[in-house]
């Protein structure tokens, strides 16, 4: 069948312009192929044999992308809402499918298909969960690729595409922007979506470079500093060694990482305002002030808990360590201080609340977002007041603006689905033979894109003992959490495929 025949066959699928989707995905694969050149160059620099794996993966990715671009001619270049949502969900899966290949081709301890896909999806969604019991055997190139996957996924694959492919600005760009960027409402920094995407990626890249410089000024070597800059700014949590940040035992590094995990949890729209010196506008933002208040309150709770348990061995153990842990949890980075597992079940309960809500919408953090918590609490207060004054007209106000009723209802539906997915995921994992606590905590940590396991569940720090079917399920849950539920679940509604 010739090229035009393939295009006609794909365009025959009703309602969805599949040919256009595949062509855009082909373009995205070329971008992923370019990113794969970085770990390839790293392996060549350190003289590691894994360069062949990255060369082969990059070649396969480039070839697949080229075939999709030049082998398919869509009848129409218009991308509607359906195509926008479908592309946003598909590209994360496609990137993970190609991104997992280096892990399967490794000479030492190669991963199975299930393990490799889980690792790649965990990276791109910035969950930071891993099935590897140790990363000591990984080449420098593989370590860079793990960190780079998180950095790409932190700001968003589609958002990067909107920044470098202007044609999508007027072809479903707004739908894709809304589908991928976290939050309830999405403010544009500039009039055009492509300009907004460039602005967000510019801020993101600039902060990453600043973090790298600060880490290099400390005891970190340039290689570790680069990987941690990518991992911390994306609030991903992948480390460069089994000991993590603890290998340096540096208060300076812990302080710098704490500051940038905090920044990673702030809406990039507010960071943009701060760069324009609109500090009053930032401070008046209800969500930002709530973010600060939650961190300070939970820090105090952790510090008191440490003192009450007789674990205040040093000044750092009641100052920097609990602050680092609170910021790590609320930003969904998932780093842990060495003795976090000994802080008791109360500390774990507080940690789960922080993981559930996460930080600000429009940031690189996971979780349900503080914005939705504020909406929920204010709406609950209104409903309680209506029991006494049923005829009163009560509204939800955030930042001095009345929130539409439809938005409040959408937040309520989101939180209900969020809890339901945790419950259904936990049930499914127990049916696969996993212990009760581990099953539900795994579902919870994956949808919140935190990846926290060490010292909490029975994994010993990894998801290695999860059955293969469970890894695919958790990969789906990670994707659902990263794209904030609606973008993924929408594809399973029959109405999505009907005119």
């Amino acid at each position: 069948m010739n090229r035009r025949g393939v295009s006609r066959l794909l365009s025959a699928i009703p309602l969805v312009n599949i040919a256009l989707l595949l062509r855009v995905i082909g373009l995205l694969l070329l971008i992923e192929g370019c990113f794969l050149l970085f770990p390839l160059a790293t392996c060549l620099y350190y003289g590691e044999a894994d360069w062949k794996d990255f060369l082969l993966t990059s070649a396969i990715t480039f070839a697949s992308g080229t075939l999709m671009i030049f082998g398919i001619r869509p009848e129409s270049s218009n991308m509607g809402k359906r195509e926008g949502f479908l592309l946003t969900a598909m590209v994360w899966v496609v990137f993970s499918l190609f991104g997992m290949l280096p892990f399967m081709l490794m000479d030492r301890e190669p991963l199975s298909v299930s393990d490799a896909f889980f690792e790649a999806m965990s990276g791109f969604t910035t969950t930071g969960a891993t099935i590897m019991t140790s990363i000591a055997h990984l080449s420098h190139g593989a370590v860079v690729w793990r960190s780079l996957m998180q950095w790409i996924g932190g700001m968003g694959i589609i958002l990067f595409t909107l920044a470098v492919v202007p044609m999508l600005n007027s072809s479903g760009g707004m739908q894709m922007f809304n589908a991928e960027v976290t939050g309830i409402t999405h403010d544009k920094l500039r009039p055009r979506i492509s300009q907004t995407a460039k602005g967000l990626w510019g801020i993101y890249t600039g902060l990453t470079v600043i973090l790298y410089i600060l880490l290099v000024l400390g005891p970190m070597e340039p290689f570790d500093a680069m990987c941690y800059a990518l991992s911390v700014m994306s609030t991903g949590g992948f480390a460069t060694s089994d000991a993590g940040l603890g290998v340096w035992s540096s208060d300076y590094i812990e302080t710098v990482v704490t500051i940038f995990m905090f920044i990673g949890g702030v809406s990039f729209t507010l960071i943009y305002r701060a760069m324009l010196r609109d500090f009053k506008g930032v401070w008046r933002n209800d969500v930002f002030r709530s973010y600060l208040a939650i961190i300070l309150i939970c820090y105090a709770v952790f510090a008191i808990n440490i003192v009450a348990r007789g674990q205040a061995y040093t000044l750092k153990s009641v100052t920097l360590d609990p602050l680092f842990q609170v910021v790590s949890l609320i930003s969904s980075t998932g780093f842990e201080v060495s003795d976090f597992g000994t802080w008791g079940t109360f500390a774990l309960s507080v940690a789960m609340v922080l993981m559930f809500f996460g930080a600000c919408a429009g940031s690189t953090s996971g979780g349900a977002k503080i914005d939705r918590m504020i909406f929920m609490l204010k709406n609950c207060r209104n409903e309680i007041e209506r029991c006494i004054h049923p005829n009163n007209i009560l509204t939800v106000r955030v930042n001095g603006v009345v929130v539409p009723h439809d938005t409040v209802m959408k937040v309520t539906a989101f939180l209900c689905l969020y809890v339901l997915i945790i419950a259904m995921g936990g049930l499914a994992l127990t049916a696969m033979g996993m212990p009760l606590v581990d099953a539900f905590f795994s579902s919870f940590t994956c949808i919140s894109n935190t990846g926290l396991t060490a010292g909490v569940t029975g994994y010993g720090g990894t998801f290695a003992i999860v059955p293969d079917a469970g890894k695919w399920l958790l990969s789906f849950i990670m994707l659902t959490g990263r794209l904030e539920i609606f973008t993924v679940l929408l594809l399973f509604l029959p109405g999505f495929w009907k005119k």
Side-chain angles (χ1 to χ4, degrees), residues 213-268:
I213 294 171
L214 291 175
L215 292 176
V216 168
L217 292 175
M220 271 195 188
E221 295 295 324
F223 173 80
D224 294 299
M226 177 183 66
C227 292
Y228 275 109
L230 297 172
S231 183
V232 170
M233 203 61 245
S234 63
T235 63
F238 275 153
T240 60
S241 66
D242 294 336
L245 291 170
V247 72
W248 289 279
S249 298
S250 168
D251 293 350
Y252 172 81
I253 288 177
E254 194 169 323
T255 302
V256 170
V257 169
T258 301
I259 292 170
F260 277 83
M261 286 191 299
F262 171 82
I263 294 172
V266 177
S267 167
F268 276 75

Short mmCIF file of all heavy atoms in Angstrom, two decimals, residues 213-268:
data_model
loop_
_atom_site.label_atom_id
_atom_site.label_comp_id
_atom_site.label_asym_id
_atom_site.label_seq_id
_atom_site.Cartn_x
_atom_site.Cartn_y
_atom_site.Cartn_z
N ILE A 213 24.88 25.40 39.28
CA ILE A 213 26.03 26.21 39.70
C ILE A 213 26.19 26.18 41.22
O ILE A 213 27.30 26.02 41.74
CB ILE A 213 25.87 27.66 39.20
CG1 ILE A 213 25.93 27.70 37.67
CG2 ILE A 213 26.94 28.57 39.80
CD1 ILE A 213 25.57 29.04 37.07
N LEU A 214 25.09 26.31 41.94
CA LEU A 214 25.15 26.29 43.40
C LEU A 214 25.63 24.94 43.93
O LEU A 214 26.38 24.89 44.91
CB LEU A 214 23.76 26.62 43.98
CG LEU A 214 23.29 28.07 43.77
CD1 LEU A 214 21.85 28.23 44.27
CD2 LEU A 214 24.21 29.05 44.50
N LEU A 215 25.20 23.85 43.30
CA LEU A 215 25.64 22.52 43.75
C LEU A 215 27.12 22.30 43.45
O LEU A 215 27.84 21.69 44.25
CB LEU A 215 24.79 21.44 43.09
CG LEU A 215 23.32 21.37 43.52
CD1 LEU A 215 22.57 20.32 42.71
CD2 LEU A 215 23.21 21.05 45.01
N VAL A 216 27.58 22.79 42.31
CA VAL A 216 29.00 22.66 41.97
C VAL A 216 29.87 23.45 42.95
O VAL A 216 31.00 23.04 43.28
CB VAL A 216 29.25 23.12 40.52
CG1 VAL A 216 30.75 23.27 40.24
CG2 VAL A 216 28.67 22.13 39.53
N LEU A 217 29.35 24.58 43.44
CA LEU A 217 30.10 25.38 44.41
C LEU A 217 30.24 24.66 45.74
O LEU A 217 31.09 25.04 46.56
CB LEU A 217 29.41 26.74 44.62
CG LEU A 217 29.43 27.69 43.41
CD1 LEU A 217 28.61 28.94 43.71
CD2 LEU A 217 30.86 28.05 43.03
N GLY A 218 29.40 23.65 45.98
CA GLY A 218 29.52 22.85 47.18
C GLY A 218 30.45 21.66 46.94
O GLY A 218 31.28 21.67 46.03
N PRO A 219 30.28 20.61 47.72
CA PRO A 219 31.16 19.44 47.57
C PRO A 219 30.82 18.51 46.42
O PRO A 219 31.49 17.49 46.23
CB PRO A 219 31.01 18.72 48.92
CG PRO A 219 29.63 19.09 49.38
CD PRO A 219 29.41 20.48 48.89
N MET A 220 29.80 18.80 45.63
CA MET A 220 29.39 17.90 44.54
C MET A 220 30.33 18.01 43.34
O MET A 220 30.78 19.10 43.00
CB MET A 220 27.96 18.21 44.08
CG MET A 220 26.88 17.47 44.83
SD MET A 220 25.31 17.58 43.93
CE MET A 220 24.21 16.86 45.14
N GLU A 221 30.55 16.88 42.70
CA GLU A 221 31.24 16.87 41.43
C GLU A 221 30.28 17.35 40.33
O GLU A 221 29.06 17.23 40.49
CB GLU A 221 31.74 15.46 41.10
CG GLU A 221 32.80 14.92 42.05
CD GLU A 221 34.09 15.73 41.97
OE1 GLU A 221 34.45 16.17 40.85
OE2 GLU A 221 34.71 15.94 43.02
N PRO A 222 30.81 17.88 39.22
CA PRO A 222 29.93 18.40 38.16
C PRO A 222 28.91 17.39 37.65
O PRO A 222 27.76 17.75 37.37
CB PRO A 222 30.93 18.79 37.05
CG PRO A 222 32.18 19.13 37.79
CD PRO A 222 32.22 18.18 38.95
N PHE A 223 29.31 16.11 37.54
CA PHE A 223 28.35 15.11 37.03
C PHE A 223 27.17 14.95 37.97
O PHE A 223 26.00 14.99 37.55
CB PHE A 223 29.06 13.75 36.86
CG PHE A 223 28.12 12.63 36.50
CD1 PHE A 223 27.67 12.47 35.20
CD2 PHE A 223 27.66 11.74 37.47
CE1 PHE A 223 26.77 11.45 34.87
CE2 PHE A 223 26.77 10.73 37.16
CZ PHE A 223 26.34 10.58 35.85
N ASP A 224 27.44 14.77 39.27
CA ASP A 224 26.36 14.63 40.26
C ASP A 224 25.52 15.89 40.32
O ASP A 224 24.29 15.83 40.44
CB ASP A 224 26.94 14.31 41.63
CG ASP A 224 27.62 12.95 41.68
OD1 ASP A 224 26.94 11.95 41.44
OD2 ASP A 224 28.83 12.89 41.94
N ALA A 225 26.18 17.05 40.25
CA ALA A 225 25.45 18.32 40.31
C ALA A 225 24.48 18.45 39.15
O ALA A 225 23.35 18.92 39.31
CB ALA A 225 26.44 19.48 40.31
N MET A 226 24.92 18.02 37.96
CA MET A 226 24.04 18.10 36.79
C MET A 226 22.82 17.20 36.97
O MET A 226 21.68 17.61 36.72
CB MET A 226 24.81 17.68 35.53
CG MET A 226 23.96 17.66 34.27
SD MET A 226 24.86 17.09 32.82
CE MET A 226 25.19 15.38 33.28
N CYS A 227 23.04 15.97 37.41
CA CYS A 227 21.93 15.03 37.57
C CYS A 227 20.96 15.49 38.64
O CYS A 227 19.73 15.42 38.46
CB CYS A 227 22.48 13.63 37.91
SG CYS A 227 23.38 12.84 36.56
N TYR A 228 21.50 15.98 39.78
CA TYR A 228 20.61 16.43 40.84
C TYR A 228 19.89 17.73 40.47
O TYR A 228 18.75 17.96 40.89
CB TYR A 228 21.38 16.60 42.15
CG TYR A 228 21.49 15.31 42.92
CD1 TYR A 228 22.71 14.64 43.04
CD2 TYR A 228 20.37 14.75 43.54
CE1 TYR A 228 22.81 13.45 43.73
CE2 TYR A 228 20.46 13.56 44.24
CZ TYR A 228 21.68 12.91 44.33
OH TYR A 228 21.77 11.72 45.02
N ALA A 229 20.53 18.57 39.68
CA ALA A 229 19.86 19.79 39.22
C ALA A 229 18.63 19.43 38.38
O ALA A 229 17.55 20.01 38.54
CB ALA A 229 20.82 20.66 38.41
N LEU A 230 18.79 18.44 37.49
CA LEU A 230 17.67 17.98 36.67
C LEU A 230 16.59 17.33 37.51
O LEU A 230 15.39 17.55 37.31
CB LEU A 230 18.18 16.99 35.62
CG LEU A 230 19.18 17.51 34.58
CD1 LEU A 230 19.73 16.35 33.74
CD2 LEU A 230 18.55 18.56 33.70
N SER A 231 17.00 16.52 38.49
CA SER A 231 16.06 15.75 39.30
C SER A 231 15.33 16.62 40.32
O SER A 231 14.13 16.45 40.54
CB SER A 231 16.82 14.63 40.01
OG SER A 231 15.96 13.82 40.76
N VAL A 232 16.05 17.56 40.94
CA VAL A 232 15.44 18.40 41.98
C VAL A 232 14.50 19.43 41.37
O VAL A 232 13.39 19.63 41.86
CB VAL A 232 16.54 19.10 42.82
CG1 VAL A 232 15.92 20.15 43.74
CG2 VAL A 232 17.31 18.07 43.64
N MET A 233 14.93 20.07 40.27
CA MET A 233 14.09 21.12 39.68
C MET A 233 12.79 20.54 39.14
O MET A 233 11.76 21.21 39.12
CB MET A 233 14.86 21.82 38.56
CG MET A 233 14.36 23.21 38.25
SD MET A 233 14.48 24.33 39.65
CE MET A 233 12.76 24.67 39.99
N SER A 234 12.83 19.29 38.72
CA SER A 234 11.61 18.62 38.24
C SER A 234 10.82 17.99 39.37
O SER A 234 9.77 17.40 39.14
CB SER A 234 11.99 17.54 37.23
OG SER A 234 12.77 16.52 37.84
N THR A 235 11.32 18.11 40.60
CA THR A 235 10.76 17.45 41.79
C THR A 235 10.55 15.96 41.52
O THR A 235 9.52 15.38 41.87
CB THR A 235 9.45 18.11 42.27
OG1 THR A 235 8.44 17.99 41.28
CG2 THR A 235 9.65 19.56 42.62
N GLY A 236 11.55 15.34 40.88
CA GLY A 236 11.45 13.92 40.51
C GLY A 236 11.96 12.99 41.60
O GLY A 236 11.26 12.10 42.05
N GLY A 237 13.22 13.17 42.02
CA GLY A 237 13.71 12.39 43.14
C GLY A 237 14.68 11.27 42.82
O GLY A 237 15.13 10.58 43.73
N PHE A 238 15.04 11.06 41.54
CA PHE A 238 16.04 10.04 41.23
C PHE A 238 17.40 10.52 41.73
O PHE A 238 17.76 11.69 41.59
CB PHE A 238 16.12 9.78 39.72
CG PHE A 238 15.10 8.78 39.23
CD1 PHE A 238 14.65 8.82 37.91
CD2 PHE A 238 14.59 7.79 40.06
CE1 PHE A 238 13.72 7.91 37.44
CE2 PHE A 238 13.65 6.87 39.60
CZ PHE A 238 13.22 6.94 38.29
N ALA A 239 18.19 9.58 42.28
CA ALA A 239 19.51 9.90 42.83
C ALA A 239 20.60 9.36 41.91
O ALA A 239 20.33 8.64 40.95
CB ALA A 239 19.65 9.30 44.23
N THR A 240 21.85 9.70 42.21
CA THR A 240 22.98 9.23 41.41
C THR A 240 23.71 8.07 42.07
O THR A 240 24.62 7.50 41.48
CB THR A 240 23.99 10.37 41.16
OG1 THR A 240 24.48 10.84 42.43
CG2 THR A 240 23.33 11.53 40.42
N SER A 241 23.31 7.73 43.31
CA SER A 241 23.92 6.61 44.01
C SER A 241 22.91 6.03 44.98
O SER A 241 21.88 6.66 45.27
CB SER A 241 25.19 7.05 44.76
OG SER A 241 24.84 7.95 45.81
N ASP A 242 23.21 4.86 45.51
CA ASP A 242 22.29 4.21 46.44
C ASP A 242 22.13 5.01 47.73
O ASP A 242 21.08 4.98 48.36
CB ASP A 242 22.79 2.80 46.78
CG ASP A 242 22.75 1.88 45.56
OD1 ASP A 242 21.96 2.15 44.65
OD2 ASP A 242 23.53 0.89 45.53
N ALA A 243 23.16 5.74 48.12
CA ALA A 243 23.12 6.52 49.37
C ALA A 243 22.40 7.86 49.19
O ALA A 243 22.10 8.53 50.18
CB ALA A 243 24.53 6.76 49.88
N GLY A 244 22.12 8.24 47.95
CA GLY A 244 21.42 9.50 47.70
C GLY A 244 22.23 10.70 48.15
O GLY A 244 23.46 10.71 48.11
N LEU A 245 21.52 11.73 48.61
CA LEU A 245 22.19 12.95 49.06
C LEU A 245 23.02 12.72 50.32
O LEU A 245 23.92 13.50 50.61
CB LEU A 245 21.16 14.05 49.32
CG LEU A 245 20.44 14.63 48.09
CD1 LEU A 245 19.28 15.52 48.52
CD2 LEU A 245 21.42 15.43 47.23
N GLY A 246 22.71 11.65 51.04
CA GLY A 246 23.42 11.37 52.29
C GLY A 246 24.90 11.07 52.11
O GLY A 246 25.66 11.12 53.06
N VAL A 247 25.31 10.76 50.88
CA VAL A 247 26.71 10.41 50.64
C VAL A 247 27.62 11.60 50.92
O VAL A 247 28.80 11.43 51.24
CB VAL A 247 26.89 9.90 49.19
CG1 VAL A 247 26.77 11.03 48.19
CG2 VAL A 247 28.23 9.19 49.02
N TRP A 248 27.10 12.83 50.83
CA TRP A 248 27.94 14.02 51.07
C TRP A 248 27.86 14.50 52.52
O TRP A 248 28.77 15.19 52.97
CB TRP A 248 27.53 15.16 50.14
CG TRP A 248 27.94 14.89 48.72
CD1 TRP A 248 29.16 15.07 48.16
CD2 TRP A 248 27.10 14.39 47.68
NE1 TRP A 248 29.16 14.69 46.85
CE2 TRP A 248 27.89 14.27 46.51
CE3 TRP A 248 25.76 14.01 47.61
CZ2 TRP A 248 27.40 13.80 45.30
CZ3 TRP A 248 25.27 13.54 46.41
CH2 TRP A 248 26.08 13.44 45.27
N SER A 249 26.78 14.19 53.22
CA SER A 249 26.58 14.65 54.61
C SER A 249 26.85 16.15 54.71
O SER A 249 27.58 16.63 55.59
CB SER A 249 27.50 13.89 55.57
OG SER A 249 27.20 12.51 55.56
N SER A 250 26.28 16.90 53.78
CA SER A 250 26.56 18.33 53.68
C SER A 250 25.32 19.16 54.00
O SER A 250 24.29 19.02 53.35
CB SER A 250 27.05 18.66 52.27
OG SER A 250 27.09 20.05 52.04
N ASP A 251 25.44 20.04 55.00
CA ASP A 251 24.34 20.94 55.33
C ASP A 251 24.09 21.92 54.19
O ASP A 251 22.95 22.32 53.93
CB ASP A 251 24.65 21.72 56.61
CG ASP A 251 24.70 20.81 57.83
OD1 ASP A 251 24.30 19.64 57.71
OD2 ASP A 251 25.14 21.30 58.89
N TYR A 252 25.16 22.29 53.51
CA TYR A 252 25.04 23.23 52.38
C TYR A 252 24.18 22.63 51.28
O TYR A 252 23.24 23.28 50.79
CB TYR A 252 26.44 23.56 51.84
CG TYR A 252 26.41 24.36 50.55
CD1 TYR A 252 26.20 25.75 50.57
CD2 TYR A 252 26.58 23.73 49.32
CE1 TYR A 252 26.17 26.48 49.39
CE2 TYR A 252 26.55 24.46 48.13
CZ TYR A 252 26.34 25.83 48.17
OH TYR A 252 26.30 26.55 47.00
N ILE A 253 24.47 21.40 50.89
CA ILE A 253 23.70 20.75 49.83
C ILE A 253 22.25 20.58 50.26
O ILE A 253 21.32 20.83 49.48
CB ILE A 253 24.32 19.39 49.47
CG1 ILE A 253 25.63 19.60 48.70
CG2 ILE A 253 23.36 18.54 48.63
CD1 ILE A 253 26.35 18.31 48.35
N GLU A 254 22.04 20.15 51.49
CA GLU A 254 20.67 19.94 51.98
C GLU A 254 19.89 21.25 51.97
O GLU A 254 18.70 21.27 51.62
CB GLU A 254 20.71 19.35 53.39
CG GLU A 254 19.38 18.78 53.85
CD GLU A 254 19.49 17.97 55.13
OE1 GLU A 254 20.51 17.27 55.31
OE2 GLU A 254 18.55 18.05 55.95
N THR A 255 20.54 22.34 52.31
CA THR A 255 19.89 23.65 52.31
C THR A 255 19.53 24.09 50.90
O THR A 255 18.40 24.54 50.64
CB THR A 255 20.80 24.71 52.97
OG1 THR A 255 21.12 24.31 54.30
CG2 THR A 255 20.12 26.07 52.99
N VAL A 256 20.49 23.98 49.97
CA VAL A 256 20.25 24.38 48.59
C VAL A 256 19.13 23.55 47.97
O VAL A 256 18.23 24.09 47.31
CB VAL A 256 21.54 24.25 47.75
CG1 VAL A 256 21.24 24.42 46.27
CG2 VAL A 256 22.58 25.28 48.20
N VAL A 257 19.17 22.24 48.19
CA VAL A 257 18.14 21.36 47.64
C VAL A 257 16.77 21.69 48.23
O VAL A 257 15.76 21.70 47.51
CB VAL A 257 18.50 19.88 47.88
CG1 VAL A 257 17.33 18.97 47.54
CG2 VAL A 257 19.72 19.49 47.05
N THR A 258 16.72 22.01 49.52
CA THR A 258 15.46 22.38 50.17
C THR A 258 14.86 23.62 49.51
O THR A 258 13.65 23.67 49.20
CB THR A 258 15.66 22.66 51.66
OG1 THR A 258 16.19 21.48 52.31
CG2 THR A 258 14.35 23.04 52.34
N ILE A 259 15.69 24.61 49.26
CA ILE A 259 15.22 25.86 48.65
C ILE A 259 14.65 25.60 47.25
O ILE A 259 13.57 26.09 46.90
CB ILE A 259 16.37 26.89 48.57
CG1 ILE A 259 16.77 27.34 49.98
CG2 ILE A 259 15.97 28.09 47.71
CD1 ILE A 259 18.04 28.18 50.01
N PHE A 260 15.35 24.78 46.46
CA PHE A 260 14.89 24.58 45.09
C PHE A 260 13.74 23.57 45.00
O PHE A 260 12.95 23.63 44.05
CB PHE A 260 16.07 24.17 44.20
CG PHE A 260 16.86 25.36 43.72
CD1 PHE A 260 17.84 25.92 44.53
CD2 PHE A 260 16.59 25.94 42.50
CE1 PHE A 260 18.56 27.03 44.11
CE2 PHE A 260 17.30 27.06 42.07
CZ PHE A 260 18.29 27.61 42.88
N MET A 261 13.61 22.66 45.95
CA MET A 261 12.40 21.84 46.00
C MET A 261 11.20 22.73 46.31
O MET A 261 10.12 22.54 45.74
CB MET A 261 12.54 20.74 47.06
CG MET A 261 13.47 19.61 46.68
SD MET A 261 13.37 18.18 47.80
CE MET A 261 13.89 18.90 49.37
N PHE A 262 11.42 23.69 47.20
CA PHE A 262 10.35 24.65 47.52
C PHE A 262 9.95 25.44 46.28
O PHE A 262 8.76 25.60 45.98
CB PHE A 262 10.83 25.61 48.62
CG PHE A 262 9.89 26.76 48.87
CD1 PHE A 262 8.77 26.61 49.68
CD2 PHE A 262 10.13 28.00 48.30
CE1 PHE A 262 7.90 27.66 49.89
CE2 PHE A 262 9.27 29.07 48.51
CZ PHE A 262 8.15 28.90 49.31
N ILE A 263 10.94 25.94 45.54
CA ILE A 263 10.66 26.69 44.31
C ILE A 263 9.93 25.81 43.30
O ILE A 263 9.01 26.26 42.61
CB ILE A 263 11.96 27.25 43.71
CG1 ILE A 263 12.58 28.29 44.64
CG2 ILE A 263 11.71 27.86 42.33
CD1 ILE A 263 13.96 28.77 44.22
N GLY A 264 10.34 24.54 43.20
CA GLY A 264 9.67 23.62 42.28
C GLY A 264 8.20 23.41 42.60
O GLY A 264 7.41 23.04 41.73
N GLY A 265 7.83 23.64 43.85
CA GLY A 265 6.43 23.49 44.27
C GLY A 265 5.60 24.75 44.10
O GLY A 265 4.40 24.74 44.36
N VAL A 266 6.24 25.85 43.67
CA VAL A 266 5.53 27.12 43.46
C VAL A 266 5.05 27.20 42.02
O VAL A 266 5.74 26.74 41.09
CB VAL A 266 6.45 28.31 43.77
CG1 VAL A 266 5.74 29.64 43.48
CG2 VAL A 266 6.91 28.27 45.22
N SER A 267 3.88 27.76 41.81
CA SER A 267 3.37 27.96 40.44
C SER A 267 4.36 28.79 39.64
O SER A 267 4.84 29.83 40.10
CB SER A 267 2.02 28.67 40.49
OG SER A 267 1.65 29.12 39.20
N PHE A 268 4.67 28.34 38.43
CA PHE A 268 5.62 29.07 37.61
C PHE A 268 5.05 30.41 37.15
O PHE A 268 5.81 31.31 36.77
CB PHE A 268 6.05 28.20 36.42
CG PHE A 268 7.18 27.27 36.77
CD1 PHE A 268 6.95 26.13 37.53
CD2 PHE A 268 8.47 27.53 36.37
CE1 PHE A 268 7.97 25.28 37.88
CE2 PHE A 268 9.52 26.69 36.71
CZ PHE A 268 9.27 25.56 37.47
#
